């Protein structure tokens, strides 16, 4: 693979595979959750070990989560939120409506 077109083509083929879009979205969500926790932890000046102790977890579990390697249960997210003096908010947000396509003659 030498050019952007080759990588783009490979990505397009992979994303067309069954379940690929769902897996991508799950990975994106895990990354964003981990990033938000890391930012909040760093704002408090805490190490991963300090957060782990406050949340009743291990440092390695915090590290995996912050790296986007795992998606914790809602119970674990609640413990992390309490440890970080934050409120966990889980919600469904409607997607914006897509405009209708013009009719073809």
């Amino acid at each position: 693979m030498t050019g952007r077109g080759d990588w783009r083509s490979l990505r397009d083929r992979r994303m067309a595979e069954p379940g690929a879009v769902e897996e991508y979205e799950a990975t994106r969500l895990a990354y964003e959750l981990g990033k938000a926790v890391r930012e909040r932890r760093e704002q408090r000046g805490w190490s991963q070990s300090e957060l782990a102790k406050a949340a009743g977890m291990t440092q390695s579990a915090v590290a995996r989560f912050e790296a986007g390697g795992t998606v914790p249960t809602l119970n674990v997210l609640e413990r992390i939120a309490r440890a970080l003096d934050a409120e966990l908010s889980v919600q469904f947000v409607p997607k914006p409506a897509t405009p209708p396509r013009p009719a073809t003659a």
Side-chain angles (χ1 to χ4, degrees):
M1 302 241 157
T2 58
R4 281 185 180 242
D6 294 336
W7 286 110
R8 195 168 283 139
S9 175
L10 175 61
R11 183 193 66 214
D12 291 345
R13 284 195 314 271
R14 294 289 183 169
M15 291 301 283
E17 293 175 3
V21 171
E22 293 82 2
E23 187 63 31
Y24 175 83
E25 286 303 313
T27 301
R28 184 187 58 75
L29 177 61
Y31 170 78
E32 288 178 6
L33 283 169
K35 180 181 174 190
V37 167
R38 183 182 67 248
E39 288 171 354
R40 180 78 177 169
R41 174 182 60 76
E42 289 175 346
Q43 286 171 354
R44 294 182 66 98
W46 281 6
S47 67
Q48 289 179 342
S49 295
E50 289 168 316
L51 173 56
K53 183 177 180 180
M57 303 170 65
T58 63
Q59 179 276 328
S60 60
V62 170
R64 280 191 306 275
F65 173 54
E66 287 187 357
T70 61
V71 178
T73 64
L74 288 175
N75 182 42
V76 171
L77 286 172
E78 272 291 332
R79 290 189 351 233
I80 291 170
R82 276 194 304 273
L84 292 171
D85 195 28
E87 183 177 314
L88 177 63
S89 174
V90 178
Q91 57 185 323
F92 290 95
V93 178
K95 292 181 180 180
T98 56
R101 294 181 179 224
T104 57

